[in-house]
């Protein structure tokens, strides 16, 4: 599939949903910088009981003209904002995103490396990178398979996963070469992956071949690939393993279960083996993920059109919406790793089957920096 680089262009940032006027800002003593950063749907006094709004609408809660929190309406269309439950509710902010790249086909696998975001365009079959200011570079084209996951080896080389031939390719000195062949190990299509700080690759094996069968069950696995190319399954019983992230201390691995509507958490043994710690969070069709320094997980929810931050107890803490677009993957990068790169696409499952998709990358600054890989 030919890649037309002229379609990839920097775009103007989308308009904020709505802003508070200056009088309200003064009354609420809300920092003007934050008001420019976050769009607020409506103002709601704390302690009034239930804020009722459409799914995903946010309200600014205040007590005696002092901001208490920002909450978002739940899937049921309401959020409890009583004084006793302010901090038990679903905290969220509608962030102002800045678009740095638009016009791609289907962006996936974002990884922050050497001051740039590296990623693939699955449909255009290209390996790309972009600076935070939007300077795009194409590094390689893959003519015989679909790239998806990415990882970065300790020496700086990039590893590219190809889905159907089940290979890991190493990009070094401007060329691709075979890093590992998983065709004899994987039981199905391989999807996403991550490389930890020790050079070990964790690869999601769906356990079935795409397109997915209707009755597929918990047949997914995670395959560990060591630096010398040896591979073995280290986790089983997953429901469509998707995005994978590893903490900086190499002791914790989190994987999104797309069919399981949540996240699975593993303890990592010294030899790279995994033992299931448990499952947490509740989110529809979780795709790509990344970790932050507080142990929370940013998750791209494909069908909720949002990037959601879930803490280690499974509570949703923040939500960034990309209305009308499917959220695909995310990564924390930038000089201090506080820039959240949000990859999304204007498409649907039906349109994807027909090869129809338009992808873009937005960025937004967040409070907590990234951790581990990616």
């Amino acid at each position: 599939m030919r890649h037309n680089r002229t379609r990839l262009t920097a775009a103007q940032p989308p308009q904020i949903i709505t802003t508070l006027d200056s009088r309200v800002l003064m009354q609420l003593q809300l920092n003007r910088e934050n008001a420019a950063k976050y769009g607020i749907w409506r103002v709601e006094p704390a302690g009034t009981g239930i804020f009722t709004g459409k799914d995903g609408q946010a309200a600014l809660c205040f007590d005696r003209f002092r901001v208490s929190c920002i909450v978002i309406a739940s899937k049921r269309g309401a959020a409890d904002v009583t004084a006793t439950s302010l901090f038990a509710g679903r905290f969220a902010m509608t962030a102002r995103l800045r678009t740095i790249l638009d016009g791609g086909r289907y962006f996936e696998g974002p990884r922050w490396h050497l001051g740039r975001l590296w990623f693939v365009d699955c449909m255009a079959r290209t390996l790309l990178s972009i600076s935070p200011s939007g300077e795009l570079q194409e590094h390689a084209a893959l003519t015989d398979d679909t790239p998806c996951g990415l990882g970065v080896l300790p020496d700086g080389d990039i590893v590219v996963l190809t889905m159907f031939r089940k290979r890991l390719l190493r990009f070094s000195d401007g060329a691709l070469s075979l890093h590992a062949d998983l065709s004899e190990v994987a039981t199905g299509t391989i999807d996403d992956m991550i490389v930890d700080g020790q050079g070990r690759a964790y690869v999601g094996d769906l356990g079935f071949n795409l397109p997915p069968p209707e009755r597929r069950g918990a047949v997914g696995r995670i395959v560990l690939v060591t630096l010398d190319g040896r591979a073995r399954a280290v986790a089983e019983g997953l429901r469509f393993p998707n995005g994978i992230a590893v903490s900086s201390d190499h002791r914790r691995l989190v994987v999104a279960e797309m069919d399981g509507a949540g996240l699975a958490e593993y303890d990592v043994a010294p030899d790279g083996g995994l033992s299931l710690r448990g499952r947490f969070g509740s989110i529809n069709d979780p795709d790509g993920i990344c970790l932050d320094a507080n142990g929370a997980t940013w998750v791209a929810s494909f069908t909720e059109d949002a990037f959601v931050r879930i803490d280690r107890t499974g509570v949703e803490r923040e939500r960034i919406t990309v209305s009308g677009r499917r959220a695909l993957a995310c990564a924390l990068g930038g000089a201090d790793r506080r820039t959240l790169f949000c990859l999304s696409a204007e498409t649907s499952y039906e349109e994807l089957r027909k090869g129809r998709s338009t992808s873009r990358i937005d960025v937004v600054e967040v409070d907590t920096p990234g951790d581990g890989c990616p």
Side-chain angles (χ1 to χ4, degrees):
M1 191 178 295
R2 258 182 99 180
H3 174 55
N4 184 357
R5 291 184 60 187
T6 61
R7 291 183 304 180
L8 300 175
T9 59
Q12 296 297 319
Q15 291 185 347
I16 198 165
I17 295 173
T18 183
T19 57
L20 302 176
D21 63 33
S22 58
R23 289 172 298 176
V24 176
L25 288 174
M26 292 176 62
Q27 290 175 347
L28 300 183
Q29 300 177 7
L30 180 65
N31 182 283
R32 288 180 184 272
E33 181 181 350
N34 288 336
K37 185 176 179 182
Y38 303 112
I40 308 301
W41 285 89
R42 56 181 285 194
V43 175
E44 188 81 9
T48 56
I50 299 294
F51 157 57
T52 302
K54 295 180 180 178
D55 181 17
Q57 283 190 337
L60 180 80
C61 297
F62 63 94
D63 183 13
R64 294 186 179 181
F65 305 113
R66 183 174 181 178
V67 175
S68 296
C69 68
I70 301 173
V71 299
I72 194 167
S74 70
K75 294 176 183 177
R76 297 184 300 275
D80 193 344
V81 293
T82 59
T84 57
S85 63
L86 276 174
F87 297 99
R90 300 177 68 199
F91 291 75
M93 294 172 285
T94 303
R96 185 178 185 180
L97 297 168
R98 177 172 61 89
T99 303
I100 63 170
L101 183 63
D102 203 355
R105 296 288 305 284
Y106 199 87
F107 297 148
E108 267 285 10
R111 306 290 181 254
W112 181 254
H113 176 56
L114 295 178
R116 301 177 68 84
L117 186 77
W118 292 69
F119 60 101
V120 294
D121 189 325
C122 301
M123 290 187 175
R125 295 185 174 182
T126 49
L127 172 65
L128 307 161
S129 73
I130 191 169
S131 69
S133 62
E135 179 192 356
L136 181 69
Q137 184 175 354
E138 180 180 317
H139 299 279
L142 295 88
T143 59
D144 61 352
D145 202 359
T146 301
C148 192
L150 280 189
V152 183
L153 294 171
D155 62 5
D157 287 353
I158 303 294
V159 177
V160 185
L161 175 152
T162 68
M163 300 178 69
F164 302 104
R165 298 187 66 182
K166 305 177 186 181
R167 299 174 303 171
L168 302 185
L169 303 180
R170 186 169 185 153
F171 179 73
S172 179
D173 297 325
L176 290 166
S177 61
L178 183 65
H179 179 65
D181 185 344
L182 303 185
S183 59
E184 298 297 323
V185 179
T187 56
T189 302
I190 59 176
D191 185 28
D192 211 339
M193 65 168 291
I194 195 64
V195 175
D196 69 10
Q198 299 180 26
R200 301 177 300 200
Y202 290 91
V203 179
D205 172 8
L206 300 184
F208 53 81
N209 293 321
L210 292 176
E214 289 187 8
R215 299 176 183 178
R216 43 191 181 261
V219 294
R221 307 187 305 163
I222 294 178
V223 175
L224 171 66
V225 183
T226 57
L227 267 174
D228 59 8
R230 290 181 295 174
R232 73 181 195 275
V234 290
E236 298 182 353
L238 289 161
R239 300 181 65 85
F240 202 127
N242 212 315
I244 307 173
V246 179
S247 62
S248 57
D249 62 6
H250 309 117
R251 295 181 179 179
R252 180 185 182 223
L253 181 144
V254 178
V255 57
E257 290 186 273
M258 202 160 195
D259 285 349
L263 304 168
E265 183 177 25
Y266 291 86
D267 291 318
V268 182
D271 66 352
L274 301 178
S275 58
L276 181 64
R277 182 183 297 177
R279 288 177 165 85
F280 67 103
S282 178
I283 187 166
N284 293 328
D285 295 314
D287 201 331
I289 66 173
C290 63
L291 302 177
D292 70 21
N294 286 339
T297 306
W298 279 100
V299 185
S301 172
F302 188 90
T303 50
E304 292 186 30
D305 299 0
F307 297 88
V308 183
R309 182 173 179 259
I310 299 174
D311 71 16
R312 295 190 70 164
T313 68
V315 174
E316 181 179 317
R317 294 300 181 182
E318 298 177 57
R319 175 176 288 249
I320 297 171
T321 58
V322 284
S323 299
R325 304 184 64 83
R326 310 292 85 78
L328 306 180
C330 52
L332 285 160
D336 56 4
R337 292 197 69 182
R338 294 179 190 271
T339 301
L340 183 68
F341 292 85
C342 301
L343 282 60
S344 64
E346 186 177 344
T347 189
S348 67
Y349 284 129
E350 182 180 354
E351 289 177 320
L352 282 175
R353 287 191 288 269
K354 299 176 182 178
R356 299 173 184 170
S357 174
T358 303
S359 200
R360 81 178 187 212
I361 300 178
D362 298 311
V363 297
V364 65
E365 299 303 309
V366 297
D367 294 329
T368 307
D371 177 71
C373 306

